[in-house]
Amino acid sequence: MLVSHVLLNYSLMLQNVTNQACLKDRPNPKTELTNREIEILSLIAKGLLNKEIALHLCISAATVKRHAFHLFQKIPVRNRAEAVRFWYQECLNTTTLKEVDL
């Protein structure tokens, strides 16, 4: 369990740099996501639940829920499934992230 947690942390650390490139150059400033929102979106795309994301990021599940609420308004999506679709369409179609294993 500890090994998988360490590997997940390392994987996410590497992805964070490329994840920011995915959404950083969006034309509308209202849609700019914070680093934390990008991190949470990537974890949602991995299939993690709010509780799992909270444990991983050392924050409360309520905080995760609040970040998710804000990012869903910014990108705009109505639910987690649409957020995952957005992640794969907007991020994985960029040349920067093609090699990143989500």
Side-chain angles (χ1 to χ4, degrees):
M1 172 100 174
L2 179 60
V3 172
S4 65
H5 185 68
V6 170
L7 291 175
L8 179 62
N9 284 339
Y10 179 71
S11 172
L12 291 171
M13 181 183 69
L14 291 176
Q15 289 176 16
N16 194 33
V17 173
T18 52
N19 291 350
Q20 291 178 24
C22 153
L23 298 171
K24 188 176 181 182
D25 297 326
R26 297 187 61 78
N28 186 348
K30 291 182 181 178
T31 61
E32 288 183 13
L33 298 179
T34 65
N35 290 341
R36 183 64 90 179
E37 288 168 341
I38 293 169
E39 191 173 19
I40 288 175
L41 180 57
S42 70
L43 293 171
I44 289 172
K46 282 183 167 252
L48 273 65
L49 303 172
N50 287 349
K51 288 181 182 180
E52 295 169 324
I53 294 170
L55 286 172
H56 175 73
L57 299 177
C58 300
I59 59 177
S60 73
T63 302
V64 172
K65 195 172 187 178
R66 194 71 180 154
H67 282 301
F69 173 80
H70 287 280
L71 77 90
F72 287 6
Q73 288 183 326
K74 289 179 181 180
I75 54 179
V77 297
R78 293 175 286 171
N79 55 47
R80 291 172 88 86
E82 289 181 7
V84 170
R85 186 186 72 213
F86 174 86
W87 174 258
Y88 282 97
Q89 288 176 341
E90 295 295 319
C91 298
L92 293 184
N93 287 335
T94 64
T95 55
T96 315
L97 291 178
K98 283 188 178 176
E99 297 177 9
V100 175
D101 179 30
L102 287 178

